[in-house]
Amino acid sequence: QVQLLESGGGLVQTGGSLGLSCTASGRTFSSDVMGWFRQAPGKEREFVAVVRWSDGSTYYGDSVRGRFTISRDNAKNTVYLQMNSLNAEDTAVYLCAASSRYWRSARRPEDYAYWGQGTQVTVSS
């Protein structure tokens, strides 16, 4: 019903920046909330950020607040995650997801019905 296509992952040095994109298609009107999660090997899936399509409201996980910026371009049906001041702890598979839940409460994986395949972000020293 909703398809998500991610891009932008790659290798970056500590202190560097990287931008991720997630383009949504299908019945996107059913989901007003887009989130980014990340998952490192052996770790639980971690909430990164969420944005509401309608007005661009955002909320961030504690570990990325002040360094990452989530935004959306409604004309392109695309959500972005700009990551700055990257460190080794940011190394993970980053996944975008769509939710119909209230945006401020959508901070758990189970709150999201649709997921992209994920894109690998590796931060090297």
Side-chain angles (χ1 to χ4, degrees), residues 61-91:
D62 292 342
S63 63
V64 306
R65 187 175 295 110
R67 298 188 298 122
F68 291 10
T69 302
I70 187 171
S71 61
R72 90 279 192 249
D73 187 332
N74 295 69
K76 297 180 179 179
N77 218 24
T78 299
V79 175
Y80 304 96
L81 184 68
Q82 179 62 44
M83 305 181 292
N84 300 322
S85 301
L86 288 164
N87 57 65
E89 302 302 314
D90 298 314
T91 295

